[in-house]
mmCIF file of all heavy atoms in Angstrom:
data_model
loop_
_atom_site.group_PDB
_atom_site.id
_atom_site.type_symbol
_atom_site.label_atom_id
_atom_site.label_comp_id
_atom_site.label_asym_id
_atom_site.label_seq_id
_atom_site.Cartn_x
_atom_site.Cartn_y
_atom_site.Cartn_z
ATOM 1 N N GLY A 7 4.416 -7.967 -8.691
ATOM 2 C CA GLY A 7 5.363 -7.080 -8.044
ATOM 3 C C GLY A 7 4.738 -5.672 -7.849
ATOM 4 O O GLY A 7 4.955 -5.058 -6.819
ATOM 5 N N ASP A 8 3.965 -5.196 -8.836
ATOM 6 C CA ASP A 8 3.328 -3.900 -8.698
ATOM 7 C C ASP A 8 2.198 -3.935 -7.652
ATOM 8 O O ASP A 8 1.952 -2.940 -6.966
ATOM 9 C CB ASP A 8 2.710 -3.473 -10.037
ATOM 10 C CG ASP A 8 3.769 -2.982 -11.022
ATOM 11 O OD1 ASP A 8 4.896 -2.697 -10.557
ATOM 12 O OD2 ASP A 8 3.489 -2.905 -12.219
ATOM 13 N N VAL A 9 1.513 -5.098 -7.569
ATOM 14 C CA VAL A 9 0.445 -5.218 -6.533
ATOM 15 C C VAL A 9 1.085 -5.122 -5.142
ATOM 16 O O VAL A 9 0.474 -4.508 -4.209
ATOM 17 C CB VAL A 9 -0.281 -6.595 -6.688
ATOM 18 C CG1 VAL A 9 -1.177 -6.876 -5.477
ATOM 19 C CG2 VAL A 9 -1.091 -6.602 -7.970
ATOM 20 N N TYR A 10 2.254 -5.683 -4.937
ATOM 21 C CA TYR A 10 2.890 -5.730 -3.611
ATOM 22 C C TYR A 10 3.782 -4.529 -3.363
ATOM 23 O O TYR A 10 4.274 -4.340 -2.241
ATOM 24 C CB TYR A 10 3.716 -7.020 -3.453
ATOM 25 C CG TYR A 10 2.802 -8.200 -3.169
ATOM 26 C CD1 TYR A 10 2.005 -8.786 -4.149
ATOM 27 C CD2 TYR A 10 2.734 -8.762 -1.889
ATOM 28 C CE1 TYR A 10 1.168 -9.863 -3.868
ATOM 29 C CE2 TYR A 10 1.910 -9.846 -1.590
ATOM 30 C CZ TYR A 10 1.137 -10.377 -2.613
ATOM 31 O OH TYR A 10 0.298 -11.435 -2.342
ATOM 32 N N ASP A 11 3.979 -3.694 -4.348
ATOM 33 C CA ASP A 11 4.830 -2.489 -4.182
ATOM 34 C C ASP A 11 4.017 -1.380 -3.495
ATOM 35 O O ASP A 11 2.821 -1.448 -3.362
ATOM 36 C CB ASP A 11 5.360 -2.024 -5.528
ATOM 37 C CG ASP A 11 6.660 -1.300 -5.425
ATOM 38 O OD1 ASP A 11 7.092 -0.957 -4.272
ATOM 39 O OD2 ASP A 11 7.321 -1.047 -6.460
ATOM 40 N N ASP A 12 4.755 -0.342 -3.095
ATOM 41 C CA ASP A 12 4.146 0.781 -2.409
ATOM 42 C C ASP A 12 3.546 1.734 -3.422
ATOM 43 O O ASP A 12 3.959 2.928 -3.523
ATOM 44 C CB ASP A 12 5.187 1.470 -1.527
ATOM 45 C CG ASP A 12 4.563 2.486 -0.556
ATOM 46 O OD1 ASP A 12 3.333 2.411 -0.332
ATOM 47 O OD2 ASP A 12 5.309 3.389 -0.108
ATOM 48 N N ASN A 13 2.585 1.277 -4.167
ATOM 49 C CA ASN A 13 1.944 2.088 -5.223
ATOM 50 C C ASN A 13 0.589 2.557 -4.708
ATOM 51 O O ASN A 13 0.012 2.052 -3.744
ATOM 52 C CB ASN A 13 1.694 1.198 -6.458
ATOM 53 C CG ASN A 13 2.939 0.880 -7.222
ATOM 54 O OD1 ASN A 13 3.776 1.752 -7.431
ATOM 55 N ND2 ASN A 13 3.151 -0.399 -7.602
ATOM 56 N N PRO A 14 0.023 3.611 -5.376
ATOM 57 C CA PRO A 14 -1.344 4.050 -5.025
ATOM 58 C C PRO A 14 -2.329 2.877 -5.214
ATOM 59 O O PRO A 14 -2.095 1.977 -6.033
ATOM 60 C CB PRO A 14 -1.597 5.169 -6.032
ATOM 61 C CG PRO A 14 -0.267 5.628 -6.471
ATOM 62 C CD PRO A 14 0.626 4.437 -6.434
ATOM 63 N N ILE A 15 -3.425 2.925 -4.507
ATOM 64 C CA ILE A 15 -4.369 1.850 -4.506
ATOM 65 C C ILE A 15 -4.926 1.577 -5.906
ATOM 66 O O ILE A 15 -5.117 0.422 -6.278
ATOM 67 C CB ILE A 15 -5.534 2.098 -3.518
ATOM 68 C CG1 ILE A 15 -6.473 0.862 -3.488
ATOM 69 C CG2 ILE A 15 -6.260 3.381 -3.821
ATOM 70 C CD1 ILE A 15 -7.533 0.947 -2.395
ATOM 71 N N TRP A 16 -5.125 2.629 -6.692
ATOM 72 C CA TRP A 16 -5.667 2.404 -8.033
ATOM 73 C C TRP A 16 -4.677 1.684 -8.955
ATOM 74 O O TRP A 16 -5.062 0.938 -9.823
ATOM 75 C CB TRP A 16 -6.146 3.724 -8.665
ATOM 76 C CG TRP A 16 -5.098 4.815 -8.673
ATOM 77 C CD1 TRP A 16 -4.094 5.036 -9.572
ATOM 78 C CD2 TRP A 16 -4.990 5.850 -7.713
ATOM 79 N NE1 TRP A 16 -3.367 6.105 -9.253
ATOM 80 C CE2 TRP A 16 -3.860 6.655 -8.123
ATOM 81 C CE3 TRP A 16 -5.665 6.207 -6.554
ATOM 82 C CZ2 TRP A 16 -3.456 7.778 -7.389
ATOM 83 C CZ3 TRP A 16 -5.264 7.329 -5.832
ATOM 84 C CH2 TRP A 16 -4.150 8.102 -6.237
ATOM 85 N N THR A 17 -3.388 1.923 -8.697
ATOM 86 C CA THR A 17 -2.357 1.204 -9.485
ATOM 87 C C THR A 17 -2.369 -0.291 -9.080
ATOM 88 O O THR A 17 -2.358 -1.164 -9.928
ATOM 89 C CB THR A 17 -0.970 1.795 -9.237
ATOM 90 O OG1 THR A 17 -0.963 3.179 -9.643
ATOM 91 C CG2 THR A 17 0.089 1.054 -10.022
ATOM 92 N N ARG A 18 -2.392 -0.527 -7.770
ATOM 93 C CA ARG A 18 -2.438 -1.916 -7.326
ATOM 94 C C ARG A 18 -3.648 -2.638 -7.837
ATOM 95 O O ARG A 18 -3.557 -3.793 -8.319
ATOM 96 C CB ARG A 18 -2.399 -1.958 -5.766
ATOM 97 C CG ARG A 18 -1.153 -1.355 -5.167
ATOM 98 C CD ARG A 18 -1.005 -1.771 -3.684
ATOM 99 N NE ARG A 18 -2.158 -1.441 -2.880
ATOM 100 C CZ ARG A 18 -2.289 -0.327 -2.135
ATOM 101 N NH1 ARG A 18 -1.327 0.579 -2.189
ATOM 102 N NH2 ARG A 18 -3.386 -0.151 -1.368
ATOM 103 N N LEU A 19 -4.815 -2.021 -7.758
ATOM 104 C CA LEU A 19 -6.035 -2.671 -8.223
ATOM 105 C C LEU A 19 -6.021 -2.887 -9.745
ATOM 106 O O LEU A 19 -6.523 -3.923 -10.215
ATOM 107 C CB LEU A 19 -7.256 -1.826 -7.819
ATOM 108 C CG LEU A 19 -7.674 -1.904 -6.368
ATOM 109 C CD1 LEU A 19 -8.694 -0.842 -6.032
ATOM 110 C CD2 LEU A 19 -8.225 -3.299 -6.057
ATOM 111 N N SER A 20 -5.488 -1.934 -10.514
ATOM 112 C CA SER A 20 -5.434 -2.112 -11.949
ATOM 113 C C SER A 20 -4.567 -3.290 -12.353
ATOM 114 O O SER A 20 -4.900 -4.072 -13.274
ATOM 115 C CB SER A 20 -4.970 -0.840 -12.659
ATOM 116 O OG SER A 20 -3.600 -0.592 -12.389
ATOM 117 N N ARG A 21 -3.433 -3.473 -11.593
ATOM 118 C CA ARG A 21 -2.563 -4.600 -11.903
ATOM 119 C C ARG A 21 -3.256 -5.909 -11.507
ATOM 120 O O ARG A 21 -3.131 -6.916 -12.184
ATOM 121 C CB ARG A 21 -1.232 -4.484 -11.105
ATOM 122 C CG ARG A 21 -0.438 -3.230 -11.443
ATOM 123 C CD ARG A 21 -0.036 -3.194 -12.916
ATOM 124 N NE ARG A 21 0.890 -2.119 -13.162
ATOM 125 C CZ ARG A 21 0.581 -0.866 -13.449
ATOM 126 N NH1 ARG A 21 -0.701 -0.533 -13.586
ATOM 127 N NH2 ARG A 21 1.518 0.032 -13.657
ATOM 128 N N TYR A 22 -3.986 -5.869 -10.412
ATOM 129 C CA TYR A 22 -4.717 -7.037 -9.948
ATOM 130 C C TYR A 22 -5.789 -7.460 -10.933
ATOM 131 O O TYR A 22 -5.940 -8.644 -11.282
ATOM 132 C CB TYR A 22 -5.350 -6.748 -8.609
ATOM 133 C CG TYR A 22 -6.181 -7.894 -8.020
ATOM 134 C CD1 TYR A 22 -5.610 -9.059 -7.578
ATOM 135 C CD2 TYR A 22 -7.576 -7.741 -7.920
ATOM 136 C CE1 TYR A 22 -6.383 -10.079 -7.057
ATOM 137 C CE2 TYR A 22 -8.372 -8.768 -7.404
ATOM 138 C CZ TYR A 22 -7.753 -9.948 -6.958
ATOM 139 O OH TYR A 22 -8.543 -10.923 -6.464
ATOM 140 N N ILE A 23 -6.508 -6.480 -11.487
ATOM 141 C CA ILE A 23 -7.537 -6.760 -12.499
ATOM 142 C C ILE A 23 -6.902 -7.337 -13.778
ATOM 143 O O ILE A 23 -7.419 -8.250 -14.391
ATOM 144 C CB ILE A 23 -8.341 -5.470 -12.792
ATOM 145 C CG1 ILE A 23 -9.186 -5.133 -11.570
ATOM 146 C CG2 ILE A 23 -9.229 -5.691 -14.018
ATOM 147 C CD1 ILE A 23 -9.794 -3.741 -11.622
ATOM 148 N N SER A 24 -5.734 -6.781 -14.128
ATOM 149 C CA SER A 24 -4.995 -7.293 -15.299
ATOM 150 C C SER A 24 -4.636 -8.774 -15.089
ATOM 151 O O SER A 24 -4.745 -9.580 -16.003
ATOM 152 C CB SER A 24 -3.707 -6.475 -15.522
ATOM 153 O OG SER A 24 -4.021 -5.178 -15.915
ATOM 154 N N LEU A 25 -4.237 -9.107 -13.878
ATOM 155 C CA LEU A 25 -3.898 -10.509 -13.580
ATOM 156 C C LEU A 25 -5.101 -11.398 -13.704
ATOM 157 O O LEU A 25 -5.015 -12.514 -14.232
ATOM 158 C CB LEU A 25 -3.325 -10.612 -12.154
ATOM 159 C CG LEU A 25 -1.880 -10.132 -11.994
ATOM 160 C CD1 LEU A 25 -1.559 -9.868 -10.522
ATOM 161 C CD2 LEU A 25 -0.915 -11.150 -12.559
ATOM 162 N N ILE A 26 -6.253 -10.910 -13.282
ATOM 163 C CA ILE A 26 -7.486 -11.698 -13.428
ATOM 164 C C ILE A 26 -7.777 -11.976 -14.896
ATOM 165 O O ILE A 26 -8.060 -13.113 -15.288
ATOM 166 C CB ILE A 26 -8.707 -10.952 -12.790
ATOM 167 C CG1 ILE A 26 -8.508 -10.873 -11.287
ATOM 168 C CG2 ILE A 26 -10.035 -11.634 -13.159
ATOM 169 C CD1 ILE A 26 -9.562 -10.036 -10.566
ATOM 170 N N PHE A 27 -7.694 -10.975 -15.716
ATOM 171 C CA PHE A 27 -7.973 -11.142 -17.179
ATOM 172 C C PHE A 27 -6.923 -12.005 -17.858
ATOM 173 O O PHE A 27 -7.232 -12.635 -18.911
ATOM 174 C CB PHE A 27 -8.100 -9.797 -17.886
ATOM 175 C CG PHE A 27 -9.396 -9.115 -17.643
ATOM 176 C CD1 PHE A 27 -9.526 -8.027 -16.818
ATOM 177 C CD2 PHE A 27 -10.571 -9.590 -18.262
ATOM 178 C CE1 PHE A 27 -10.767 -7.392 -16.586
ATOM 179 C CE2 PHE A 27 -11.802 -9.004 -18.063
ATOM 180 C CZ PHE A 27 -11.905 -7.890 -17.226
ATOM 181 N N LYS A 28 -5.730 -12.089 -17.323
ATOM 182 C CA LYS A 28 -4.696 -12.940 -17.903
ATOM 183 C C LYS A 28 -4.807 -14.371 -17.415
ATOM 184 O O LYS A 28 -4.007 -15.237 -17.765
ATOM 185 C CB LYS A 28 -3.301 -12.388 -17.545
ATOM 186 C CG LYS A 28 -2.958 -11.104 -18.290
ATOM 187 C CD LYS A 28 -1.561 -10.618 -17.917
ATOM 188 C CE LYS A 28 -1.223 -9.344 -18.655
ATOM 189 N NZ LYS A 28 -1.072 -9.534 -20.084
ATOM 190 N N GLY A 29 -5.807 -14.650 -16.568
ATOM 191 C CA GLY A 29 -6.006 -16.034 -16.069
ATOM 192 C C GLY A 29 -5.010 -16.399 -14.971
ATOM 193 O O GLY A 29 -4.764 -17.611 -14.795
ATOM 194 N N ALA A 30 -4.464 -15.411 -14.266
ATOM 195 C CA ALA A 30 -3.409 -15.702 -13.286
ATOM 196 C C ALA A 30 -3.897 -16.525 -12.118
ATOM 197 O O ALA A 30 -3.081 -17.225 -11.482
ATOM 198 C CB ALA A 30 -2.815 -14.399 -12.795
ATOM 199 N N TYR A 31 -5.198 -16.519 -11.847
ATOM 200 C CA TYR A 31 -5.682 -17.171 -10.620
ATOM 201 C C TYR A 31 -6.434 -18.468 -10.908
ATOM 202 O O TYR A 31 -7.197 -18.954 -10.061
ATOM 203 C CB TYR A 31 -6.544 -16.183 -9.827
ATOM 204 C CG TYR A 31 -5.783 -14.947 -9.448
ATOM 205 C CD1 TYR A 31 -6.101 -13.706 -10.008
ATOM 206 C CD2 TYR A 31 -4.675 -15.025 -8.586
ATOM 207 C CE1 TYR A 31 -5.370 -12.569 -9.694
ATOM 208 C CE2 TYR A 31 -3.945 -13.901 -8.267
ATOM 209 C CZ TYR A 31 -4.282 -12.689 -8.818
ATOM 210 O OH TYR A 31 -3.541 -11.547 -8.504
ATOM 211 N N ARG A 32 -6.184 -19.021 -12.089
ATOM 212 C CA ARG A 32 -6.668 -20.372 -12.301
ATOM 213 C C ARG A 32 -5.978 -21.350 -11.347
ATOM 214 O O ARG A 32 -5.007 -21.021 -10.704
ATOM 215 C CB ARG A 32 -6.405 -20.805 -13.752
ATOM 216 C CG ARG A 32 -7.222 -20.035 -14.766
ATOM 217 C CD ARG A 32 -6.828 -20.417 -16.193
ATOM 218 N NE ARG A 32 -5.416 -20.114 -16.472
ATOM 219 C CZ ARG A 32 -4.929 -19.940 -17.693
ATOM 220 N NH1 ARG A 32 -5.722 -20.060 -18.755
ATOM 221 N NH2 ARG A 32 -3.668 -19.657 -17.868
ATOM 222 N N LYS A 33 -6.474 -22.579 -11.314
ATOM 223 C CA LYS A 33 -5.786 -23.595 -10.485
ATOM 224 C C LYS A 33 -4.360 -23.716 -10.905
ATOM 225 O O LYS A 33 -4.006 -23.554 -12.084
ATOM 226 C CB LYS A 33 -6.508 -24.937 -10.630
ATOM 227 C CG LYS A 33 -7.863 -25.010 -10.020
ATOM 228 C CD LYS A 33 -8.455 -26.416 -10.184
ATOM 229 C CE LYS A 33 -9.792 -26.546 -9.514
ATOM 230 N NZ LYS A 33 -10.346 -27.923 -9.644
ATOM 231 N N LYS A 34 -3.509 -24.073 -9.945
ATOM 232 C CA LYS A 34 -2.106 -24.296 -10.274
ATOM 233 C C LYS A 34 -1.962 -25.374 -11.293
ATOM 234 O O LYS A 34 -1.088 -25.329 -12.161
ATOM 235 C CB LYS A 34 -1.341 -24.673 -8.997
ATOM 236 C CG LYS A 34 -1.185 -23.552 -7.987
ATOM 237 C CD LYS A 34 -0.367 -24.010 -6.798
ATOM 238 C CE LYS A 34 -0.217 -22.891 -5.780
ATOM 239 N NZ LYS A 34 0.542 -23.323 -4.587
ATOM 240 N N SER A 35 -2.845 -26.397 -11.237
ATOM 241 C CA SER A 35 -2.784 -27.483 -12.192
ATOM 242 C C SER A 35 -3.164 -27.029 -13.629
ATOM 243 O O SER A 35 -2.952 -27.737 -14.598
ATOM 244 C CB SER A 35 -3.701 -28.624 -11.778
ATOM 245 O OG SER A 35 -5.023 -28.160 -11.589
ATOM 246 N N ASN A 36 -3.745 -25.830 -13.699
ATOM 247 C CA ASN A 36 -4.108 -25.257 -15.024
ATOM 248 C C ASN A 36 -3.326 -23.966 -15.266
ATOM 249 O O ASN A 36 -3.836 -22.980 -15.784
ATOM 250 C CB ASN A 36 -5.606 -24.979 -15.061
ATOM 251 C CG ASN A 36 -6.087 -24.728 -16.470
ATOM 252 O OD1 ASN A 36 -5.493 -25.152 -17.447
ATOM 253 N ND2 ASN A 36 -7.189 -23.959 -16.591
ATOM 254 N N LYS A 37 -2.063 -23.965 -14.809
ATOM 255 C CA LYS A 37 -1.085 -22.880 -15.093
ATOM 256 C C LYS A 37 -1.401 -21.552 -14.403
ATOM 257 O O LYS A 37 -1.015 -20.486 -14.898
ATOM 258 C CB LYS A 37 -0.994 -22.661 -16.620
ATOM 259 C CG LYS A 37 -0.670 -23.945 -17.416
ATOM 260 C CD LYS A 37 -0.590 -23.633 -18.908
ATOM 261 C CE LYS A 37 -0.272 -24.858 -19.691
ATOM 262 N NZ LYS A 37 -1.304 -25.892 -19.613
ATOM 263 N N GLY A 38 -2.090 -21.607 -13.293
ATOM 264 C CA GLY A 38 -2.374 -20.360 -12.555
ATOM 265 C C GLY A 38 -1.648 -20.352 -11.206
ATOM 266 O O GLY A 38 -0.910 -21.257 -10.854
ATOM 267 N N PHE A 39 -1.932 -19.283 -10.447
ATOM 268 C CA PHE A 39 -1.344 -19.184 -9.093
ATOM 269 C C PHE A 39 -2.254 -19.786 -8.033
ATOM 270 O O PHE A 39 -1.853 -19.949 -6.905
ATOM 271 C CB PHE A 39 -1.075 -17.722 -8.738
ATOM 272 C CG PHE A 39 -0.044 -17.059 -9.609
ATOM 273 C CD1 PHE A 39 -0.312 -15.880 -10.280
ATOM 274 C CD2 PHE A 39 1.236 -17.600 -9.736
ATOM 275 C CE1 PHE A 39 0.607 -15.274 -11.064
ATOM 276 C CE2 PHE A 39 2.185 -17.000 -10.531
ATOM 277 C CZ PHE A 39 1.904 -15.834 -11.225
ATOM 278 N N GLY A 40 -3.536 -20.066 -8.356
ATOM 279 C CA GLY A 40 -4.459 -20.692 -7.460
ATOM 280 C C GLY A 40 -5.342 -19.713 -6.727
ATOM 281 O O GLY A 40 -5.130 -18.485 -6.709
ATOM 282 N N HIS A 41 -6.403 -20.252 -6.078
ATOM 283 C CA HIS A 41 -7.412 -19.432 -5.427
ATOM 284 C C HIS A 41 -6.888 -18.716 -4.232
ATOM 285 O O HIS A 41 -7.328 -17.624 -3.858
ATOM 286 C CB HIS A 41 -8.634 -20.289 -5.063
ATOM 287 C CG HIS A 41 -8.364 -21.283 -3.965
ATOM 288 N ND1 HIS A 41 -7.798 -22.488 -4.197
ATOM 289 C CD2 HIS A 41 -8.609 -21.194 -2.629
ATOM 290 C CE1 HIS A 41 -7.710 -23.139 -3.058
ATOM 291 N NE2 HIS A 41 -8.185 -22.399 -2.086
ATOM 292 N N LYS A 42 -5.923 -19.351 -3.492
ATOM 293 C CA LYS A 42 -5.355 -18.658 -2.327
ATOM 294 C C LYS A 42 -4.668 -17.362 -2.718
ATOM 295 O O LYS A 42 -4.800 -16.323 -2.067
ATOM 296 C CB LYS A 42 -4.376 -19.601 -1.591
ATOM 297 C CG LYS A 42 -3.848 -18.964 -0.293
ATOM 298 C CD LYS A 42 -2.774 -19.838 0.336
ATOM 299 C CE LYS A 42 -3.249 -21.162 0.777
ATOM 300 N NZ LYS A 42 -2.211 -21.947 1.484
ATOM 301 N N ALA A 43 -3.923 -17.415 -3.857
ATOM 302 C CA ALA A 43 -3.232 -16.213 -4.337
ATOM 303 C C ALA A 43 -4.248 -15.145 -4.733
ATOM 304 O O ALA A 43 -4.038 -13.946 -4.552
ATOM 305 C CB ALA A 43 -2.359 -16.566 -5.542
ATOM 306 N N PHE A 44 -5.402 -15.596 -5.312
ATOM 307 C CA PHE A 44 -6.466 -14.674 -5.672
ATOM 308 C C PHE A 44 -6.929 -13.835 -4.468
ATOM 309 O O PHE A 44 -7.065 -12.606 -4.538
ATOM 310 C CB PHE A 44 -7.627 -15.434 -6.257
ATOM 311 C CG PHE A 44 -8.884 -14.619 -6.515
ATOM 312 C CD1 PHE A 44 -9.022 -13.860 -7.661
ATOM 313 C CD2 PHE A 44 -9.922 -14.649 -5.598
ATOM 314 C CE1 PHE A 44 -10.167 -13.103 -7.872
ATOM 315 C CE2 PHE A 44 -11.083 -13.902 -5.800
ATOM 316 C CZ PHE A 44 -11.196 -13.157 -6.949
ATOM 317 N N LEU A 45 -7.147 -14.529 -3.356
ATOM 318 C CA LEU A 45 -7.646 -13.840 -2.144
ATOM 319 C C LEU A 45 -6.554 -12.990 -1.485
ATOM 320 O O LEU A 45 -6.794 -11.846 -1.063
ATOM 321 C CB LEU A 45 -8.149 -14.903 -1.146
ATOM 322 C CG LEU A 45 -9.377 -15.707 -1.605
ATOM 323 C CD1 LEU A 45 -9.678 -16.829 -0.593
ATOM 324 C CD2 LEU A 45 -10.581 -14.804 -1.788
ATOM 325 N N VAL A 46 -5.332 -13.515 -1.413
ATOM 326 C CA VAL A 46 -4.247 -12.767 -0.778
ATOM 327 C C VAL A 46 -3.891 -11.527 -1.603
ATOM 328 O O VAL A 46 -3.722 -10.417 -1.072
ATOM 329 C CB VAL A 46 -2.992 -13.660 -0.603
ATOM 330 C CG1 VAL A 46 -1.833 -12.823 -0.105
ATOM 331 C CG2 VAL A 46 -3.292 -14.769 0.386
ATOM 332 N N ASP A 47 -3.846 -11.663 -2.938
ATOM 333 C CA ASP A 47 -3.522 -10.517 -3.774
ATOM 334 C C ASP A 47 -4.615 -9.449 -3.706
ATOM 335 O O ASP A 47 -4.331 -8.243 -3.757
ATOM 336 C CB ASP A 47 -3.273 -10.945 -5.228
ATOM 337 C CG ASP A 47 -1.984 -11.716 -5.425
ATOM 338 O OD1 ASP A 47 -1.270 -11.941 -4.409
ATOM 339 O OD2 ASP A 47 -1.651 -12.068 -6.577
ATOM 340 N N LEU A 48 -5.871 -9.895 -3.610
ATOM 341 C CA LEU A 48 -6.941 -8.922 -3.450
ATOM 342 C C LEU A 48 -6.771 -8.166 -2.150
ATOM 343 O O LEU A 48 -6.911 -6.919 -2.104
ATOM 344 C CB LEU A 48 -8.299 -9.661 -3.435
ATOM 345 C CG LEU A 48 -9.510 -8.803 -3.147
ATOM 346 C CD1 LEU A 48 -9.696 -7.654 -4.167
ATOM 347 C CD2 LEU A 48 -10.778 -9.658 -3.109
#
């Protein structure tokens, strides 16, 4: 939600990096959002 909100770029990027470290972009079959979400969120 913070990545997609009207936040400063450094806020959006910091949330995106947090998602990476939390394993958010693993395969959907491994409890993640998947590689497409990785690219779109970036």
Side-chain angles (χ1 to χ4, degrees):
D8 285 344
V9 169
Y10 282 74
D11 207 349
D12 190 21
N13 289 314
I15 184 172
W16 54 84
T17 300
R18 298 196 304 265
L19 283 169
S20 69
R21 300 299 190 271
Y22 178 70
I23 292 168
S24 294
L25 283 163
I26 292 174
F27 280 107
K28 289 180 180 294
Y31 302 113
R32 291 176 299 203
K33 290 182 177 181
K34 290 182 181 179
S35 56
N36 194 26
K37 308 181 180 62
F39 296 125
H41 68 278
K42 185 187 294 185
F44 172 81
L45 296 173
V46 173
D47 287 5
L48 174 60

